[in-house]
Amino acid sequence: QVQLVESGGGLVQAGGSLRVSCAASGRTFSSYGVGWFRQAPGKERSFVAAINWTGGSTAYADSVKGRFTISRDNAKNTVYLQMNSLKPEDTAVYYCAANREGRPSRHMVVYDYWGQGTQVTVSS
């Protein structure tokens, strides 16, 4: 059993920045791949970014590439998503997820554990 808890969401103006965090329990977290996904009301959940177990490989959705940066600190059992140049289209609940394969997968079915999400709202 692994528990993931997101934090750092909030209200920000368009063009601003925000960093959300994913804190995990368990000694094996450092071997997991971790992804960020987001979902707006009435819409399907979509991929945002992912990072492999070492932090040496990342993947990003085209819509956030160049604006968002995913990173991890395995000593702290925490993964971060730095979001810059935010747009109203980024408004969503942001979820982190972990997979035991250790890969930065874009696919939700790969992930074994999910957090409860944190709300990010970007005003224009």
Side-chain angles (χ1 to χ4, degrees):
Q1 181 71 27
V2 173
Q3 289 187 320
L4 305 174
V5 180
E6 301 93 338
S7 63
L11 176 64
V12 63
Q13 293 184 349
S17 298
L18 201 64
R19 188 180 74 166
V20 291
S21 301
C22 176
S25 64
R27 289 181 292 177
T28 58
F29 178 72
S30 61
S31 67
Y32 296 167
V34 176
W36 285 96
F37 296 80
R38 64 188 182 185
Q39 186 170 25
K43 296 186 177 181
E44 294 183 350
R45 194 168 300 185
S46 61
F47 170 76
V48 178
I51 191 166
N52 79 327
W53 70 280
T54 66
S57 182
T58 58
Y60 296 94
D62 289 342
S63 59
V64 307
K65 193 172 296 183
R67 299 189 298 123
F68 291 10
T69 302
I70 188 170
S71 62
R72 68 190 302 164
D73 186 343
N74 285 340
K76 294 182 171 64
N77 274 7
T78 303
V79 172
Y80 306 96
L81 184 68
Q82 177 68 46
M83 302 181 287
N84 298 327
S85 302
L86 282 162
K87 305 174 181 179
E89 307 94 271
D90 297 318
T91 295
V93 176
Y94 282 70
Y95 300 89
C96 68
N99 70 74
R100 291 174 290 183
E101 295 183 352
R103 296 184 177 187
S105 178
R106 300 172 180 266
H107 308 298
M108 290 184 291
V109 294
V110 174
Y111 290 89
D112 304 291
Y113 309 102
W114 290 82
Q116 292 296 307
T118 185
Q119 177 70 48
V120 173
T121 303
V122 184
S123 63
S124 62

